[in-house]
Structures are given as structure tokens and as C-alpha cells.
Amino acid sequence: MRQRLRLASVSLRLLDLYEKDEIRLEQIMAFSISDDHARQEQVWERISSSQMQEPYYIRRLLTETTVRADDRRAVYVGAEAYEAAGGVILRDLFEQDSGGWFQDAALLEQLVFDRLKMDAEAIRAEGWKWVEAAISFPYGHTSGMRRIYAEAQELSAEEMERYDALKAEYDKLDADYARAEDADEAIEAKLDQLGAELDSIDDRPQNYDPAQKAIAGVFVTLAADGKLQVEGGFVRSEDEPRTETGDVDEGEEGGADGGTRSNGDDDGDGIVVNGKPVNDTSGDDGEDDGVKPLPDRLVFDLTAQRTLALRNALADDVDIAFIAALHAFVLQVFYRFAPDTCLEISLKSGSFSQVDGLAETSWAKEIAERHDAWDRDLPDQADGLWDFLLGLDEACRKALFAHCVSLTLNAVVEPWNRRPKALEHADVLGRSLQFDMVDAGWTPTVEFLGRLTKARILQAVREARGADSAQLIDHMKKDIMAREAARLLEGSNWLPEPLRLEVDEVATDAGDAVAGDMSDEAALDGDVAELPAFLADDADSSSDEPVTSDGDEADHLQAAE
């Protein structure tokens, strides 16, 4: 009942859109977090034409009140433009504030979208079919799209002649200098000059084919430093060129270029074995005029025997079996509409688009860079993939295989998807890889700690730094507590339970007791030195005095959990 009453706090305009099936129920539930109808409608206007319409993003916009000046949105718009639009920046006169806080988050986001719109229109004018702009996109937003890449401009005859002359001069000078006994600054400077000229020729502009741009689009977003990030060359499946071959149905699409791929039978209704139709009825169809096609049942029986014989032969050739599996994997990962393999192997890869900021992690960026590098090297057409894989050396094959297999790994814990054995195997795999999230670069940030309850924050500090360090911050407001806890946890190698390879099942109270056994003096000696001055001054008093009501509140919160 309370939940239904809460939904009544949503703007009538949004509820009308819900009745028309233009807004999903989970989005309406997200809007109910705020009672400000004007703000709700403003947020909907902002996201309705963008790809970012997930409930978590709606909640973030509704609950966000201030934005730091070093946030990418603030950097992109700039303080001058923000203040010119009537925005106010709060400054701290006593501490370094990195430019302060932009007080009107709604105004700032509106300015961001207005400028993104102008930038997107300018990019669209370059000949792209579509441009989609957003502050950020969910991880995996390009899934299902083929990507084309720009190519360097061809060198003119004069440029090639000049490049060859520079290269010859550089190589001769470098070889002569390598045999010299003494260093010569003049020769080193000349080598640097020649190298710079060669680099300028190598780094010539890269252009997209206008015909390809006409079917492709661009994603425009903001990088972490507030600069415009443009990723172009993505072709949606519906924009792929269609090449008709006979009366092939639209459902028989395939191939890396997205065109309609024939299965080898121009009529589209026959069975093909070894590239030849075996029951083609388009020609002679009677004993008097010719030989009848083989019965379908006989064709099935014969090809079943051939299949088993092929399986047996494949089992005896490990190298070809590996390439065959790799071929099937690459087709699914890089050629979305090209299931041209006789191996019935399927890959599943979760996108986790609901996780805010996942695409900006170092791991996501490394995966994307590796994927793009392979995408550039692979042949444009799936028909040439097999020969390409045969031509790779063993190390490259293994690297490509590992990349494809890695995209299928899923160790996400979901309350509705109970799969304990799979999660146990993820731990086994992690141990085999000697994997650790600390080594991978994960740290407890202020943003992460801000999503925890105060009791959880204090528990983390107790586990990492001892009970005395936790007591020093237990009286703080949550935002300040999260900031100081992040600083205390820095370098401690502390991980939350879901990130630990083997979750410690000891109860929280037992963990507190173990932490309490630590020497108070040793804990203070190790941690007070890391605290800011105003906390270090209170260290002695906080260790001698009883916990205040604020500390009790933290204990109650922990008990409630």
C-alpha cells in the first residue's frame, strides 16, 4: 500500500505517459523518489530522447543537488558559461575546493545537453547518417553493431619520394652514428629532426569513406577530463546494405557486411551439401526426362554418417579443432550476422548496462582497446575469416581465442538468478589466474563508500585499520565520513565481501571482537599519523571517552542491517 501511495507522488503528466506505454513501470518507480513534479518532468524531457533512460540514472538526476567543479560536466560547460546562465558556484574559503561546487545540477545538465546537441549537429554535418550524444553511455552500448574504421590518406608520388629519401638519410646517419665512439649532439639533433619529419608523414590524416559514413553513425560523449569524446563508424543492423540473391527471405541475413547471405542455393528452398544442391527440383523432375533428386530421408542418413566421420577426424587433429572453435567464436563476437560454421557452439555475453560508470573503468577500456585492435585486423568479410585464422601464428590464435572466451565470463550475483555452482567456479578460475581485485586496481572510492550505510563504512574501517580508527570518524555526517574513510582505507588492500576471492563467513560481531583485540596503542600509532590534523587532535580524547549518541546511532544502524 505504501508503495502504491508513493507512486501517486509522480507527476500526472508522467503518469499519463505511463498509461500510453511511453514510460515503463520501473521508470515511474524511479521518479517517485522525488516529490518535485517540475524536476521530474525536467528530467524526463532530458532523457526521453537519449539512450540513457535506466531507473538508476533517473534516480541519480533526481537526487543530485550539487556538482564539483572538476566533474566532467562542469569542465565541459565551464564556470563562465554556467554563471552567465544564472548558476551559482559555492566556494570554500578555508580549504582547497578544486574550483568549488556548482549548486544547480539541473541547470548544469541542461547546459551540457544544449552544448552536446550543437556539437552533435556539427559532427552530423560531416556526412554521418546519425549521431547520438549523451553524457555517458552504458557499457556494451555498441553491441550488435559492425564498426568501420578510417583509413590514412594515400601518399602522393612526391610525398612517397620525400619519405624514402628521409628514411634512407635517417638509416645511413643512424648506422654511421652507431659505429662512432664519441657522442655528437649535432648528429643526435639531426636524427631527432629526421625522425620527427618521418613521424609527421606517418601520422597523416585519416578519413572515412563517404559511402560508408552514409550508413554509419557516431557516439558522442564526455571523457573523464571533460573533453568531447567521439567514437565513429558504427553501423546498425537495419542500416546494413542488402544484396538480393533470388527470392531469399529477409530472415536469412548474414555476413560481416550485414547483407543478405545466401546459403549456397539460389532458389533458397533446397538442401546444399558441399556447395551443390542435392534436391533441386527446378530442372528435370521425372524419370523419363532425367534422374530424380535423392529423397530427403536418404540425404539425412548420408549426411549424418558424414557428420560422425568428420567428428572423428576432427578429434584426431587438435590444431584444426582449435581453429574451428576459434572460427565459431570470432564469427559470433565480430560478425554479428554470420553464423557460417558447422560447429554448434554458442556464446553468451552479458552487457551489464545497468551499472553506472562501468564503461569508464580501466578494465572496460582495456577490453574495448583489445577488441578494436582485433576488429581492425580481421577481414571485412566473414568468407575470408577461415584463411585468415590459418595464417595466424599460434600465439596470435591463442590471444584471439582468450579474448573471445573472456567475453563470456559471468560472475555477477543476481538475486533472481540462482547459480551457486557457476559462482563457485568463478572463484576456482580466479585462484587459477592468481587474480585479486586489489592487484587489478580496485580501490574503495568516496562514491562507493557513499552508497553504504554508516554502519557499513565503520565496519570497513574497523576491518582495515582497527576499532580505534573507526571510532575517530563515527560521529561524522555520512558524506564526510565516506571521504575520511576512503582516505583511511587507501593502501589497506581492503575489499568488500563480493570482491573477495573467498568470502569470510565469520559474523560481523566476531570480526569486531578480533579487531578489538588489537592493541589500542599500536592501532593509534599506525593510524593517527595518517589522519588530518583536526582528527589527530581528537585521537586521545576519543580513545578515553565513552562513545556518544552518534556512536550509538552507528551501532543501531549496524544492528538494523
Side-chain angles (χ1 to χ4, degrees):
M1 179 62 70
R2 292 177 59 189
Q3 292 177 333
R4 294 181 180 178
L5 292 175
R6 189 60 187 170
L7 292 178
S9 65
V10 179
S11 163
L12 292 177
R13 178 187 169 195
L14 299 183
L15 291 176
D16 290 339
L17 293 175
Y18 171 65
E19 291 182 359
K20 299 175 183 178
D21 291 331
E22 296 183 24
I23 296 182
R24 305 193 307 272
L25 176 60
E26 55 266 29
Q27 292 173 314
I28 289 292
M29 294 168 64
F31 278 113
S32 70
I33 198 172
S34 170
D35 295 325
D36 188 342
H37 289 184
R39 175 63 176 151
Q40 292 173 358
E41 295 174 6
Q42 184 183 38
V43 169
W44 175 249
E45 289 294 333
R46 181 168 306 148
I47 69 171
S48 59
S49 59
S50 72
Q51 196 179 48
M52 290 293 292
Q53 297 184 12
E54 297 299 325
Y56 75 86
Y57 185 63
I58 295 173
R59 292 188 182 94
R60 196 187 83 179
L61 293 181
L62 289 172
T63 57
E64 194 170 38
T65 57
T66 63
V67 179
R68 291 187 61 86
D70 55 3
D71 184 278
R72 59 182 171 179
R73 293 164 294 173
V75 174
Y76 178 63
V77 170
E80 185 176 346
Y82 170 76
E83 290 180 319
V88 177
I89 300 179
L90 178 65
R91 301 301 304 268
D92 192 329
L93 301 179
F94 299 97
E95 292 186 14
Q96 291 290 333
D97 58 11
S98 301
W101 293 266
F102 287 45
Q103 293 297 289
D104 194 336
L107 173 63
L108 176 61
E109 293 242 354
Q110 188 60 51
L111 294 174
V112 170
F113 278 99
D114 290 343
R115 185 175 174 185
L116 274 176
K117 183 178 180 181
M118 291 190 297
D119 289 337
E121 290 174 351
I123 295 172
R124 174 80 179 275
E126 297 174 2
W128 297 102
K129 180 171 184 179
W130 53 267
V131 176
E132 189 165 338
I135 294 175
S136 63
F137 288 103
Y139 180 70
H141 65 284
T142 61
S143 178
M145 299 185 192
R146 177 171 65 94
R147 189 170 188 183
I148 58 178
Y149 296 93
E151 296 182 357
Q153 294 179 357
E154 292 290 338
L155 291 175
S156 64
E158 294 78 7
E159 289 174 327
M160 292 182 64
E161 184 178 350
R162 180 170 176 268
Y163 184 89
D164 292 339
L166 289 171
K167 187 71 167 60
E169 183 180 0
Y170 181 92
D171 291 342
K172 183 178 183 304
L173 187 60
D174 185 49
D176 293 341
Y177 189 51
R179 292 191 294 269
E181 296 181 359
D182 299 325
D184 190 322
E185 293 184 2
I187 296 179
E188 292 177 356
K190 182 63 175 178
L191 285 172
D192 290 340
Q193 176 191 342
L194 293 173
E197 293 184 40
L198 289 171
D199 290 341
S200 65
I201 297 176
D202 288 332
D203 297 337
R204 57 192 180 277
Q206 294 186 332
N207 296 324
Y208 287 92
D209 184 342
Q212 291 182 318
K213 290 176 70 174
I215 64 170
V218 177
F219 289 101
V220 180
T221 185
L222 299 182
D225 58 0
K227 295 180 180 179
L228 203 65
Q229 183 171 309
V230 180
E231 294 181 319
F234 294 95
V235 183
R236 292 168 172 163
S237 58
E238 61 267 24
D239 295 329
E240 294 282 9
R242 301 297 198 258
T243 56
E244 298 298 332
T245 57
D247 297 328
V248 181
D249 294 336
E250 291 183 2
E252 296 177 359
E253 296 177 357
D257 60 356
T260 302
R261 179 182 293 275
S262 170
N263 63 0
D265 179 13
D266 290 338
D267 292 333
D269 57 359
I271 299 176
V272 177
V273 177
N274 286 339
K276 298 179 181 179
V278 297
N279 61 348
D280 186 1
T281 59
S282 60
D284 299 329
D285 58 353
E287 288 286 2
D288 295 338
D289 299 324
V291 180
K292 286 184 178 181
L294 294 175
D296 290 347
R297 177 66 188 186
L298 179 57
V299 171
F300 180 89
D301 292 347
L302 290 173
T303 53
Q305 296 177 40
R306 179 172 182 265
T307 296
L308 289 183
L310 270 174
R311 286 181 179 180
N312 192 45
L314 187 61
D316 289 335
D317 196 323
V318 176
D319 292 335
I320 295 300
F322 179 81
I323 294 175
L326 176 58
H327 178 257
F329 289 172
V330 174
L331 283 173
Q332 295 177 64
V333 172
F334 293 93
Y335 301 85
R336 297 293 180 178
F337 301 96
D340 300 344
T341 173
C342 60
L343 270 61
E344 295 184 337
I345 299 176
S346 61
L347 301 180
K348 294 192 300 181
S349 180
S351 65
F352 317 125
S353 59
Q354 67 272 30
V355 182
D356 189 20
L358 188 61
E360 299 165 13
T361 62
S362 60
W363 317 298
K365 291 178 180 178
E366 287 185 22
I367 292 173
E369 290 172 0
R370 182 169 57 247
H371 190 90
D372 287 346
W374 278 115
D375 199 11
R376 289 176 184 273
D377 292 340
L378 291 171
D380 293 335
Q381 304 294 331
D383 293 341
L385 178 60
W386 182 263
D387 291 336
F388 173 84
L389 296 178
L390 285 175
L392 288 178
D393 58 61
E394 184 179 3
C396 288
R397 285 196 205 119
K398 288 182 177 180
L400 180 56
F401 183 85
H403 173 68
C404 294
V405 170
S406 70
L407 298 180
T408 69
L409 193 152
N410 186 352
V412 172
V413 177
E414 297 167 299
W416 52 269
N417 187 11
R418 304 291 294 176
R419 49 193 196 104
K421 292 297 183 181
L423 298 177
E424 288 177 11
H425 179 252
D427 283 341
V428 172
L429 181 61
R431 285 192 292 271
S432 299
L433 292 170
Q434 296 183 337
F435 175 79
D436 182 80
M437 280 297 289
V438 173
D439 295 336
W442 189 90
T443 56
T445 62
V446 176
E447 291 75 16
F448 161 74
L449 293 168
R451 298 174 64 179
L452 304 181
T453 62
K454 291 178 67 175
R456 281 281 184 181
I457 297 174
L458 293 173
Q459 177 185 341
V461 174
R462 277 194 295 269
E463 290 178 351
R465 297 298 188 189
D468 294 304
S469 294
Q471 189 177 9
L472 291 174
I473 64 172
D474 64 2
H475 62 284
M476 296 178 176
K477 293 182 178 179
K478 183 178 176 180
D479 55 344
I480 301 176
M481 178 187 290
R483 184 182 65 193
E484 293 304 321
R487 195 189 56 75
L488 284 170
L489 293 174
E490 184 177 355
S492 67
N493 294 343
W494 178 86
L495 290 172
E497 290 92 336
L499 297 186
R500 299 171 188 172
L501 195 57
E502 293 182 354
V503 179
D504 187 2
E505 298 180 355
V506 179
T508 301
D509 292 339
D512 292 345
V514 172
D517 290 339
M518 295 176 56
S519 169
D520 293 346
E521 182 178 355
L524 287 175
D525 288 344
D527 294 324
V528 171
E530 299 181 1
L531 294 172
F534 75 94
L535 285 179
D537 292 340
D538 293 339
D540 295 334
S541 61
S542 61
S543 62
D544 296 334
E545 296 177 0
V547 179
T548 62
S549 58
D550 291 325
D552 293 337
E553 177 188 356
D555 290 337
H556 290 316
L557 284 173
Q558 188 173 359
E561 286 191 331

